[in-house]
Amino acid sequence: MPIYDQLDTWIDDHFDEQVRFLQALIRVYVILIIAYILTQLFFGFGGRVPYNRYFTAVIGFLEQVVAPYLNFFRRFIPPLGPIDISPIVGILLLQIVGGLLVRIIRG
């Protein structure tokens, strides 16, 4: 097997790892957005949780990770009454851009 074939195989494997990592990263971020939406809905409908250090840490983490991304869309997309569609737009854009990046990396 010539060295060029080995190099091509190594490059293809390396790019496949990067593609899988990017897909996993996008999937995890979408899950975090959905978890953030669900917690906001819970509190929006009057749900109250007694003070719990771990729950507060999880809510704080979701707020710090997801809110800046969604706030970008909230600047341009006004809420439709009580409905905020910025998470939907954010998830769709994340999926579209992620799909494009995957196609670019795969070639």
Side-chain angles (χ1 to χ4, degrees), residues 28-47:
V28 167
Y29 202 72
V30 168
I31 291 169
L32 288 174
I33 291 173
I34 292 170
Y36 177 76
I37 293 168
L38 292 176
T39 57
Q40 295 304 312
L41 277 173
F42 177 73
F43 291 126
F45 285 122

PDB file of all heavy atoms in Angstrom, residues 28-47:
ATOM      1  N   VAL A  28     -25.882  18.066  21.477  1.00  0.00           N
ATOM      2  CA  VAL A  28     -25.871  18.405  22.904  1.00  0.00           C
ATOM      3  C   VAL A  28     -26.390  19.819  23.120  1.00  0.00           C
ATOM      4  O   VAL A  28     -27.168  20.070  24.048  1.00  0.00           O
ATOM      5  CB  VAL A  28     -24.447  18.237  23.499  1.00  0.00           C
ATOM      6  CG1 VAL A  28     -24.343  18.885  24.861  1.00  0.00           C
ATOM      7  CG2 VAL A  28     -24.090  16.771  23.578  1.00  0.00           C
ATOM      8  N   TYR A  29     -26.007  20.751  22.261  1.00  0.00           N
ATOM      9  CA  TYR A  29     -26.468  22.126  22.423  1.00  0.00           C
ATOM     10  C   TYR A  29     -27.971  22.231  22.187  1.00  0.00           C
ATOM     11  O   TYR A  29     -28.660  22.971  22.892  1.00  0.00           O
ATOM     12  CB  TYR A  29     -25.698  23.074  21.499  1.00  0.00           C
ATOM     13  CG  TYR A  29     -25.749  24.501  21.981  1.00  0.00           C
ATOM     14  CD1 TYR A  29     -25.041  24.893  23.103  1.00  0.00           C
ATOM     15  CD2 TYR A  29     -26.523  25.445  21.333  1.00  0.00           C
ATOM     16  CE1 TYR A  29     -25.092  26.190  23.562  1.00  0.00           C
ATOM     17  CE2 TYR A  29     -26.578  26.752  21.775  1.00  0.00           C
ATOM     18  CZ  TYR A  29     -25.861  27.114  22.895  1.00  0.00           C
ATOM     19  OH  TYR A  29     -25.923  28.397  23.350  1.00  0.00           O
ATOM     20  N   VAL A  30     -28.507  21.478  21.236  1.00  0.00           N
ATOM     21  CA  VAL A  30     -29.952  21.459  21.015  1.00  0.00           C
ATOM     22  C   VAL A  30     -30.663  20.899  22.243  1.00  0.00           C
ATOM     23  O   VAL A  30     -31.698  21.420  22.669  1.00  0.00           O
ATOM     24  CB  VAL A  30     -30.303  20.668  19.738  1.00  0.00           C
ATOM     25  CG1 VAL A  30     -31.787  20.384  19.654  1.00  0.00           C
ATOM     26  CG2 VAL A  30     -29.839  21.420  18.506  1.00  0.00           C
ATOM     27  N   ILE A  31     -30.115  19.852  22.834  1.00  0.00           N
ATOM     28  CA  ILE A  31     -30.698  19.285  24.051  1.00  0.00           C
ATOM     29  C   ILE A  31     -30.669  20.304  25.182  1.00  0.00           C
ATOM     30  O   ILE A  31     -31.636  20.434  25.948  1.00  0.00           O
ATOM     31  CB  ILE A  31     -29.975  17.976  24.444  1.00  0.00           C
ATOM     32  CG1 ILE A  31     -30.300  16.886  23.426  1.00  0.00           C
ATOM     33  CG2 ILE A  31     -30.356  17.531  25.853  1.00  0.00           C
ATOM     34  CD1 ILE A  31     -29.455  15.642  23.555  1.00  0.00           C
ATOM     35  N   LEU A  32     -29.577  21.062  25.303  1.00  0.00           N
ATOM     36  CA  LEU A  32     -29.501  22.104  26.331  1.00  0.00           C
ATOM     37  C   LEU A  32     -30.551  23.192  26.090  1.00  0.00           C
ATOM     38  O   LEU A  32     -31.171  23.685  27.040  1.00  0.00           O
ATOM     39  CB  LEU A  32     -28.105  22.717  26.371  1.00  0.00           C
ATOM     40  CG  LEU A  32     -26.994  21.847  26.936  1.00  0.00           C
ATOM     41  CD1 LEU A  32     -25.645  22.540  26.776  1.00  0.00           C
ATOM     42  CD2 LEU A  32     -27.262  21.528  28.389  1.00  0.00           C
ATOM     43  N   ILE A  33     -30.770  23.559  24.834  1.00  0.00           N
ATOM     44  CA  ILE A  33     -31.794  24.562  24.523  1.00  0.00           C
ATOM     45  C   ILE A  33     -33.170  24.040  24.917  1.00  0.00           C
ATOM     46  O   ILE A  33     -33.972  24.760  25.523  1.00  0.00           O
ATOM     47  CB  ILE A  33     -31.754  24.952  23.030  1.00  0.00           C
ATOM     48  CG1 ILE A  33     -30.476  25.723  22.714  1.00  0.00           C
ATOM     49  CG2 ILE A  33     -32.979  25.783  22.647  1.00  0.00           C
ATOM     50  CD1 ILE A  33     -30.271  25.999  21.230  1.00  0.00           C
ATOM     51  N   ILE A  34     -33.462  22.805  24.599  1.00  0.00           N
ATOM     52  CA  ILE A  34     -34.762  22.223  24.947  1.00  0.00           C
ATOM     53  C   ILE A  34     -34.925  22.141  26.460  1.00  0.00           C
ATOM     54  O   ILE A  34     -36.005  22.441  26.989  1.00  0.00           O
ATOM     55  CB  ILE A  34     -34.932  20.844  24.276  1.00  0.00           C
ATOM     56  CG1 ILE A  34     -35.043  21.030  22.760  1.00  0.00           C
ATOM     57  CG2 ILE A  34     -36.139  20.100  24.819  1.00  0.00           C
ATOM     58  CD1 ILE A  34     -34.977  19.759  21.957  1.00  0.00           C
ATOM     59  N   ALA A  35     -33.873  21.760  27.174  1.00  0.00           N
ATOM     60  CA  ALA A  35     -33.948  21.727  28.641  1.00  0.00           C
ATOM     61  C   ALA A  35     -34.195  23.123  29.199  1.00  0.00           C
ATOM     62  O   ALA A  35     -34.986  23.301  30.142  1.00  0.00           O
ATOM     63  CB  ALA A  35     -32.655  21.142  29.215  1.00  0.00           C
ATOM     64  N   TYR A  36     -33.558  24.118  28.630  1.00  0.00           N
ATOM     65  CA  TYR A  36     -33.765  25.504  29.063  1.00  0.00           C
ATOM     66  C   TYR A  36     -35.207  25.931  28.818  1.00  0.00           C
ATOM     67  O   TYR A  36     -35.841  26.547  29.680  1.00  0.00           O
ATOM     68  CB  TYR A  36     -32.792  26.413  28.318  1.00  0.00           C
ATOM     69  CG  TYR A  36     -32.961  27.881  28.616  1.00  0.00           C
ATOM     70  CD1 TYR A  36     -32.501  28.412  29.814  1.00  0.00           C
ATOM     71  CD2 TYR A  36     -33.571  28.733  27.705  1.00  0.00           C
ATOM     72  CE1 TYR A  36     -32.650  29.765  30.094  1.00  0.00           C
ATOM     73  CE2 TYR A  36     -33.712  30.077  27.977  1.00  0.00           C
ATOM     74  CZ  TYR A  36     -33.258  30.587  29.169  1.00  0.00           C
ATOM     75  OH  TYR A  36     -33.410  31.919  29.454  1.00  0.00           O
ATOM     76  N   ILE A  37     -35.754  25.581  27.652  1.00  0.00           N
ATOM     77  CA  ILE A  37     -37.139  25.923  27.336  1.00  0.00           C
ATOM     78  C   ILE A  37     -38.083  25.265  28.333  1.00  0.00           C
ATOM     79  O   ILE A  37     -39.016  25.901  28.847  1.00  0.00           O
ATOM     80  CB  ILE A  37     -37.489  25.481  25.903  1.00  0.00           C
ATOM     81  CG1 ILE A  37     -36.707  26.290  24.887  1.00  0.00           C
ATOM     82  CG2 ILE A  37     -38.979  25.593  25.639  1.00  0.00           C
ATOM     83  CD1 ILE A  37     -36.770  25.722  23.493  1.00  0.00           C
ATOM     84  N   LEU A  38     -37.859  23.992  28.625  1.00  0.00           N
ATOM     85  CA  LEU A  38     -38.734  23.282  29.553  1.00  0.00           C
ATOM     86  C   LEU A  38     -38.675  23.863  30.964  1.00  0.00           C
ATOM     87  O   LEU A  38     -39.712  23.986  31.628  1.00  0.00           O
ATOM     88  CB  LEU A  38     -38.389  21.789  29.570  1.00  0.00           C
ATOM     89  CG  LEU A  38     -38.703  21.033  28.281  1.00  0.00           C
ATOM     90  CD1 LEU A  38     -38.218  19.589  28.387  1.00  0.00           C
ATOM     91  CD2 LEU A  38     -40.192  21.084  27.970  1.00  0.00           C
ATOM     92  N   THR A  39     -37.483  24.245  31.411  1.00  0.00           N
ATOM     93  CA  THR A  39     -37.404  24.846  32.748  1.00  0.00           C
ATOM     94  C   THR A  39     -38.084  26.209  32.767  1.00  0.00           C
ATOM     95  O   THR A  39     -38.752  26.549  33.751  1.00  0.00           O
ATOM     96  CB  THR A  39     -35.942  24.997  33.215  1.00  0.00           C
ATOM     97  OG1 THR A  39     -35.210  25.772  32.273  1.00  0.00           O
ATOM     98  CG2 THR A  39     -35.282  23.654  33.419  1.00  0.00           C
ATOM     99  N   GLN A  40     -37.956  26.986  31.695  1.00  0.00           N
ATOM    100  CA  GLN A  40     -38.629  28.284  31.636  1.00  0.00           C
ATOM    101  C   GLN A  40     -40.146  28.113  31.588  1.00  0.00           C
ATOM    102  O   GLN A  40     -40.878  28.900  32.188  1.00  0.00           O
ATOM    103  CB  GLN A  40     -38.131  29.094  30.438  1.00  0.00           C
ATOM    104  CG  GLN A  40     -36.676  29.480  30.514  1.00  0.00           C
ATOM    105  CD  GLN A  40     -36.346  30.263  31.777  1.00  0.00           C
ATOM    106  OE1 GLN A  40     -37.035  31.197  32.126  1.00  0.00           O
ATOM    107  NE2 GLN A  40     -35.300  29.845  32.460  1.00  0.00           N
ATOM    108  N   LEU A  41     -40.619  27.089  30.879  1.00  0.00           N
ATOM    109  CA  LEU A  41     -42.053  26.805  30.872  1.00  0.00           C
ATOM    110  C   LEU A  41     -42.549  26.411  32.258  1.00  0.00           C
ATOM    111  O   LEU A  41     -43.619  26.833  32.691  1.00  0.00           O
ATOM    112  CB  LEU A  41     -42.363  25.678  29.879  1.00  0.00           C
ATOM    113  CG  LEU A  41     -42.506  26.065  28.429  1.00  0.00           C
ATOM    114  CD1 LEU A  41     -42.648  24.815  27.561  1.00  0.00           C
ATOM    115  CD2 LEU A  41     -43.688  26.975  28.230  1.00  0.00           C
ATOM    116  N   PHE A  42     -41.778  25.591  32.951  1.00  0.00           N
ATOM    117  CA  PHE A  42     -42.144  25.162  34.300  1.00  0.00           C
ATOM    118  C   PHE A  42     -42.308  26.362  35.222  1.00  0.00           C
ATOM    119  O   PHE A  42     -43.303  26.487  35.932  1.00  0.00           O
ATOM    120  CB  PHE A  42     -41.067  24.204  34.846  1.00  0.00           C
ATOM    121  CG  PHE A  42     -41.317  23.777  36.254  1.00  0.00           C
ATOM    122  CD1 PHE A  42     -42.317  22.873  36.552  1.00  0.00           C
ATOM    123  CD2 PHE A  42     -40.537  24.281  37.286  1.00  0.00           C
ATOM    124  CE1 PHE A  42     -42.545  22.474  37.853  1.00  0.00           C
ATOM    125  CE2 PHE A  42     -40.758  23.892  38.591  1.00  0.00           C
ATOM    126  CZ  PHE A  42     -41.766  22.984  38.878  1.00  0.00           C
ATOM    127  N   PHE A  43     -41.336  27.285  35.171  1.00  0.00           N
ATOM    128  CA  PHE A  43     -41.425  28.469  36.014  1.00  0.00           C
ATOM    129  C   PHE A  43     -42.476  29.446  35.496  1.00  0.00           C
ATOM    130  O   PHE A  43     -43.086  30.165  36.277  1.00  0.00           O
ATOM    131  CB  PHE A  43     -40.071  29.159  36.124  1.00  0.00           C
ATOM    132  CG  PHE A  43     -39.074  28.373  36.910  1.00  0.00           C
ATOM    133  CD1 PHE A  43     -37.832  28.069  36.377  1.00  0.00           C
ATOM    134  CD2 PHE A  43     -39.361  27.926  38.181  1.00  0.00           C
ATOM    135  CE1 PHE A  43     -36.918  27.340  37.091  1.00  0.00           C
ATOM    136  CE2 PHE A  43     -38.456  27.197  38.916  1.00  0.00           C
ATOM    137  CZ  PHE A  43     -37.219  26.902  38.371  1.00  0.00           C
ATOM    138  N   GLY A  44     -42.696  29.477  34.195  1.00  0.00           N
ATOM    139  CA  GLY A  44     -43.700  30.363  33.610  1.00  0.00           C
ATOM    140  C   GLY A  44     -45.119  29.980  34.001  1.00  0.00           C
ATOM    141  O   GLY A  44     -46.001  30.833  34.103  1.00  0.00           O
ATOM    142  N   PHE A  45     -45.353  28.700  34.214  1.00  0.00           N
ATOM    143  CA  PHE A  45     -46.673  28.229  34.637  1.00  0.00           C
ATOM    144  C   PHE A  45     -46.819  28.222  36.150  1.00  0.00           C
ATOM    145  O   PHE A  45     -47.749  27.631  36.681  1.00  0.00           O
ATOM    146  CB  PHE A  45     -46.961  26.835  34.079  1.00  0.00           C
ATOM    147  CG  PHE A  45     -47.300  26.835  32.621  1.00  0.00           C
ATOM    148  CD1 PHE A  45     -46.554  26.102  31.728  1.00  0.00           C
ATOM    149  CD2 PHE A  45     -48.366  27.576  32.141  1.00  0.00           C
ATOM    150  CE1 PHE A  45     -46.859  26.093  30.375  1.00  0.00           C
ATOM    151  CE2 PHE A  45     -48.690  27.582  30.800  1.00  0.00           C
ATOM    152  CZ  PHE A  45     -47.930  26.841  29.909  1.00  0.00           C
ATOM    153  N   GLY A  46     -45.904  28.864  36.838  1.00  0.00           N
ATOM    154  CA  GLY A  46     -46.027  29.003  38.287  1.00  0.00           C
ATOM    155  C   GLY A  46     -45.378  27.894  39.087  1.00  0.00           C
ATOM    156  O   GLY A  46     -45.617  27.795  40.297  1.00  0.00           O
ATOM    157  N   GLY A  47     -44.597  27.063  38.475  1.00  0.00           N
ATOM    158  CA  GLY A  47     -43.916  26.002  39.204  1.00  0.00           C
ATOM    159  C   GLY A  47     -42.858  26.574  40.131  1.00  0.00           C
ATOM    160  O   GLY A  47     -42.106  27.464  39.757  1.00  0.00           O
TER     161      GLY A  47
END
